[in-house]
Amino acid sequence: MSQVEAAYRAGPGSKLAVDAAFYNSLKEGGAQRTLVETIKIPMRSGKAWEVPAGHVFRVRVSDGPQVGDFNMWNKHDPRERMWASRTRQMQRAHVSIHDRLWSTLPFLRPMVTIIDDSLADYGQDAEGGRVHDLLGTRCDPYVNRLLTGEDFDFHCHSNLVRAVLPYGLTEFDVHDVLNIFQCTGLNDEDKYFMKACPAKKGDYLEFFAEMDLLCALSCCPGGDLSVDLWGPDAKDPLSRCHPLEVEIYRLESGTLDGWKAPERSGYAGGHGLSSPKVDWEAKKKAL
């Protein structure tokens, strides 16, 4: 493994720095919490839900191992949405506790902070696989058509499209995902690989909402990804598909004293452009 330093590093006072003690205090068994909603996502489907700022939500394996493709937007302005590639640079390619998911430009702020992860100790396996993947993106019917010549309407992209339509969003709003519970890496040819999901019933990934959110999750039609979706050994992995659940929690009063939602980037947005210089006095005299 390379020992080269990461390009994006937190300096003193950097907004990349995380108050680990504060976020640790929000875990189950720390701050008192109340379950306010449970969302059940059937196999090979997707659902969307809202989370108020300062709440916690947990994505949970409710049956057998299952991968979930996750999208997220600012509830009040969906032009601000999760930015997978920048998160991959500023955090890591596979996220876990204290990592944040960042939003797109011109906002560039943390949308959530991961506060708990039952698979945090998985690390890197013997084949280089890690969990909670930002390397890849959602499966989609366009790639499927390209590879197989067939149409299939229940890929994660389509599941997410159907999930967000009731909220006024469209296919153009669906974006690159966090693949929750998905085990992936790069092989010796620097090519993306996927392995069987190591999550078991009861495993979870838990987030603290830094702003009011609209979230969406697809139960991947590949299930636990133990069956090839494409290639000579491909077959329908329906038997390996399971549902997922999302739990939303309200934290007790006083838990968030001193916390405030992150502000959008302070950059002025000039981009080196200058306003046209007009001599209005000279124009007036010339009238």
Side-chain angles (χ1 to χ4, degrees):
M1 185 179 295
S2 174
Q3 299 300 312
V4 177
E5 288 280 2
Y8 294 78
R9 284 172 279 170
S14 167
K15 290 189 177 181
L16 288 180
V18 172
D19 184 348
F22 167 72
Y23 289 106
N24 288 343
S25 75
L26 305 181
K27 292 182 180 182
E28 187 174 28
Q32 184 177 339
R33 54 170 70 179
T34 301
L35 178 66
V36 295
E37 186 177 4
T38 299
I39 299 121
K40 298 181 183 296
I41 307 173
M43 69 173 74
R44 288 189 164 175
S45 72
K47 285 194 176 181
W49 67 92
E50 296 178 354
V51 184
H55 281 52
V56 167
F57 64 99
R58 170 182 288 190
V59 178
R60 191 173 76 87
V61 176
S62 57
D63 192 346
Q66 173 65 44
V67 167
D69 286 41
F70 178 70
N71 267 194
M72 181 170 54
W73 302 262
N74 179 335
K75 174 186 170 181
H76 307 291
D77 183 359
R79 291 175 296 181
E80 182 175 14
R81 60 192 193 181
M82 186 182 84
W83 192 3
S85 60
R86 183 62 86 204
T87 299
R88 190 168 61 240
Q89 289 179 312
M90 295 205 298
Q91 304 292 167
R92 63 195 79 229
H94 298 84
V95 292
S96 189
I97 298 171
H98 298 152
D99 286 323
R100 290 167 150 173
L101 304 183
W102 292 76
S103 69
T104 48
L105 300 180
F107 310 96
L108 194 60
R109 54 182 165 177
M111 302 182 76
V112 297
T113 301
I114 298 173
I115 63 171
D116 206 356
D117 176 11
S118 66
L119 294 174
D121 293 333
Y122 185 84
Q124 180 172 297
D125 62 32
E127 295 175 299
R130 296 177 182 270
V131 292
H132 308 316
D133 158 54
L134 285 165
L135 277 175
T137 190
R138 60 210 180 276
C139 57
D140 69 75
Y142 304 97
V143 167
N144 189 73
R145 178 78 180 183
L146 184 150
L147 294 176
T148 70
E150 299 177 356
D151 287 345
F152 182 68
D153 297 327
F154 298 92
H155 286 284
C156 288
H157 179 81
S158 298
N159 292 345
L160 292 168
V161 169
R162 293 193 304 276
V164 300
L165 286 176
Y167 293 86
L169 303 187
T170 73
E171 179 175 10
F172 293 100
D173 295 295
V174 172
H175 54 272
D176 281 351
V177 299
L178 168 62
N179 291 302
I180 298 175
F181 307 127
Q182 185 164 317
C183 185
T184 67
L186 300 175
N187 67 17
D188 291 340
E189 295 181 319
D190 205 27
K191 292 183 178 181
Y192 183 71
F193 68 78
M194 303 186 294
K195 294 185 61 178
C197 171
K200 298 178 176 61
K201 182 177 180 178
D203 277 324
Y204 60 87
L205 186 64
E206 193 166 84
F207 305 85
F208 173 77
E210 302 279 0
M211 62 176 69
D212 292 339
L213 298 171
L214 173 65
C215 303
L217 184 72
S218 166
C219 281
C220 182
D224 66 1
L225 300 181
S226 62
V227 175
D228 288 345
L229 302 180
W230 300 285
D233 298 322
K235 59 182 180 180
D236 188 347
L238 181 58
S239 65
R240 309 304 301 165
C241 291
H242 300 97
L244 290 169
E245 285 186 357
V246 176
E247 298 170 337
I248 302 174
Y249 296 91
R250 181 178 62 250
L251 297 171
E252 67 178 352
S253 177
T255 299
L256 302 179
D257 289 350
W259 170 83
K260 63 178 183 178
E263 297 179 354
R264 61 180 288 170
S265 171
Y267 174 58
H271 299 295
L273 304 174
S274 59
S275 300
K277 297 186 182 301
V278 180
D279 189 341
W280 293 112
E281 289 295 333
K283 280 184 172 291
K284 183 177 179 179
K285 291 177 182 179
L287 292 177

